[in-house]
Amino acid sequence: MVKFTVTKKDPVTSARTGKLETKHGVFETPVFMPVGTNATVKGLWQEQLKELGARIILGNAFHLYLKPGLEVIRSFGGLHSFMNWNNSILTDSGGFQVFSLKDKKVLDEGVLFKSPIDGSKIMMTPELSMEIQMTLGSDIAMAFDECVAPELDRTYAQESVERTTRWAEKCLAYHDRSQALFGIVQGAFYKDLREKSAREITAMDFDGFAVGGLSVGEPFEVTRDILEFTTKLLPEDKPRYLMGIGTPDMIIMAVENGIDMFDCVLPTRMGRHGTALTWSGKINLKAARHKFSKEPIDPECNCKVCRSYSKGYIYHLFSRDELLGKMMLSYHNVHFLLDFTDRLRNAIREERFLEFKELCTRKQLIK
Ligand SMILES: CC#C[C@H]1NC(N)=Nc2cc3[nH]c(NC)nc3cc21
């Protein structure tokens, strides 16, 4: 179970702060959750995540079911002890991952696909997704949903919303509630389908609600419009989670619309490719202009990388494709987003949210 309380509401916007308690600790929201798909946040080890202040990370039912598999996870007594992480974990259900596989078949009982690891046939069902997540022992599990490409026609989008609702009912019927269970609202970019999905999913006994299927390449204004519409349909007293977002402009927009939780692979993915997030925007550490720079990545950042290493050194590491360069930028970017979210939370608490948003606009962190 999770205990969620709203602790402060912004007087002007839907932004709020909250407190979320799981059996692995208490943390404040809005919260950024680093993604640790294969039981690792790529490029950082758990002590570094802890020192950066990460209080909850993501795992993934689909990936962990394929490898190392449930037998190994069971033998370690769950994901927390397997990866030696004693803060909170949210596991995704696999819905999004199976959706991205090319040769899959969506049936009423679930999704039939070939394992990308050994080609074996697997039927991922709502029940199997729940079994996997209960075995992982995460603090928060996600319902198994059908993810569709947003450009799909309305007819299929409607069928998919109906399937996601039926699968949500199966998840609730099967789950033993040994962990919190969140429902996921779908409906692509159709407001009437978003309303239908929100009405059906929030009528069920979930501990929190996620909005899926946004920030998949659509214009920012479309994301904002659909998110504003959908979030208003979610109960105020339960956590609201926007899946898969994590750039400063998306975070500000999501929080302004009442979102409490968000996750994104971007900080570590961008880190591995040489891009750093800074308080004056993104910089590419592979650019030759940094070759002789004695400066830190970001003079406004107090992370260990910015306190000890120069852009010139990191440029050199990337020029030799050295592992350490990727690790340093991943560390810095995760720190940046956790620090950004901390400052955002403080701004809401002190009724300075719009001031903070204005500061981010001036710094060209957001549009
Ligand atoms: C359609 C849909 C949907 C959501 N369903 C589940 N189970 N997980 C997700 C993970 C995501 N990551 C990103 N990144 C952009 N978007 C996501 C959306 C979902």
Side-chain angles (χ1 to χ4, degrees):
M1 282 309 286
V2 289
K3 191 163 164 291
F4 177 68
T5 38
V6 175
T7 49
K8 176 81 180 172
K9 288 183 186 175
D10 183 59
V12 179
T13 70
S14 302
R16 75 232 191 119
T17 59
K19 206 164 76 169
L20 204 151
E21 183 172 0
T22 77
K23 57 176 184 280
H24 285 93
V26 187
F27 53 88
E28 292 183 294
T29 62
V31 63
F32 168 67
M33 305 182 283
V35 174
T37 303
N38 290 311
T40 161
V41 174
K42 292 184 178 3
L44 284 82
W45 59 87
Q46 280 64 306
E47 287 76 7
Q48 291 178 311
L49 286 168
K50 262 212 163 66
E51 77 187 21
L52 288 176
R55 305 301 298 275
I56 178 169
I57 62 172
L58 253 67
N60 193 284
F62 171 79
H63 292 86
L64 295 167
Y65 177 64
L66 296 178
K67 271 199 184 296
L70 295 188
E71 193 186 352
V72 169
I73 296 290
R74 268 194 205 100
S75 77
F76 279 85
L79 184 55
H80 283 88
S81 42
F82 181 56
M83 65 184 290
N84 191 20
W85 173 255
N86 55 15
N87 282 346
S88 296
I89 299 176
L90 179 148
T91 45
D92 198 356
S93 57
F96 189 73
Q97 286 68 36
V98 291
F99 150 70
S100 18
L101 296 176
K102 51 186 187 313
D103 50 354
K104 65 180 176 291
K105 222 169 147 163
V106 180
L107 308 163
D108 267 346
E109 55 270 48
V111 181
L112 184 63
F113 64 93
K114 271 196 188 148
S115 161
I117 293 191
D118 61 15
S120 61
K121 281 208 177 216
I122 297 172
M123 170 71 107
M124 182 61 84
T125 62
E127 294 83 357
L128 176 57
S129 177
M130 295 302 102
E131 186 60 40
I132 296 167
Q133 294 181 79
M134 288 190 278
T135 304
L136 292 169
S138 51
D139 299 280
I140 301 173
M142 299 306 295
F144 185 65
D145 56 333
E146 189 197 358
C147 310
V148 288
E151 60 275 7
L152 272 188
D153 65 56
R154 206 204 112 76
T155 312
Y156 190 85
Q158 172 153 346
E159 286 167 14
S160 168
V161 162
E162 289 160 358
R163 194 173 292 116
T164 288
T165 295
R166 286 196 301 275
W167 287 355
E169 286 160 347
K170 290 185 170 187
C171 290
L172 279 167
Y174 188 87
H175 198 272
D176 67 7
R177 307 312 286 262
S178 53
Q179 63 202 150
L181 183 57
F182 282 18
I184 303 176
V185 171
Q186 295 291 4
F189 304 137
Y190 302 101
K191 283 185 177 174
D192 62 329
L193 294 184
R194 283 283 174 186
E195 192 282 329
K196 171 182 166 64
S197 183
R199 180 165 27 85
E200 293 170 353
I201 298 294
T202 58
M204 300 181 207
D205 172 33
F206 285 113
D207 301 298
F209 298 98
V211 178
L214 293 178
S215 179
V216 284
E218 73 278 10
F220 182 84
E221 293 66 28
V222 171
T223 311
R224 182 176 53 205
D225 184 33
I226 297 294
L227 181 70
E228 183 180 4
F229 176 81
T230 309
T231 312
K232 286 191 164 74
L233 303 171
L234 304 180
E236 282 209 5
D237 62 344
K238 291 192 174 175
R240 298 158 174 168
Y241 166 24
L242 180 55
M243 306 185 88
I245 64 109
T247 50
D249 53 352
M250 281 292 180
I251 291 172
I252 288 272
M253 181 270 289
V255 169
E256 187 168 3
N257 283 292
I259 291 293
D260 307 300
M261 306 165 72
F262 34 87
D263 77 277
C264 193
V265 293
L266 271 182
T268 45
R269 183 174 294 171
M270 286 163 72
R272 290 196 300 280
H273 295 101
T275 301
L277 293 164
T278 80
W279 284 96
S280 353
K282 286 187 272 200
I283 56 172
N284 173 12
L285 269 296
K286 290 179 178 174
R289 67 174 178 278
H290 301 303
K291 190 170 184 175
F292 293 93
S293 170
K294 316 291 184 292
E295 298 307 308
I297 298 168
D298 186 348
E300 293 184 60
C301 177
N302 67 350
C303 85
K304 282 185 176 173
V305 173
C306 289
R307 290 205 304 259
S308 306
Y309 303 99
S310 67
K311 285 187 283 193
Y313 175 58
I314 296 169
Y315 167 79
H316 160 69
L317 293 175
F318 274 94
S319 69
R320 300 309 311 258
D321 199 26
E322 281 292 342
L323 189 54
L324 183 59
K326 302 171 202 261
M327 291 166 66
M328 283 184 168
L329 278 202
S330 299
Y331 181 95
H332 164 81
N333 284 347
V334 170
H335 171 272
F336 177 87
L337 281 180
L338 288 168
D339 182 41
F340 179 82
T341 310
D342 284 351
R343 295 187 199 197
L344 173 54
R345 219 171 21 243
N346 292 336
I348 299 170
R349 198 179 294 116
E350 294 157 17
E351 295 192 7
R352 294 185 292 103
F353 173 74
L354 285 177
E355 204 181 300
F356 180 79
K357 181 180 175 185
E358 182 44 44
L359 168 75
C360 294
T361 309
R362 274 202 312 280
K363 287 175 160 294
Q364 296 179 338
L365 264 182
I366 64 176
K367 296 177 185 68

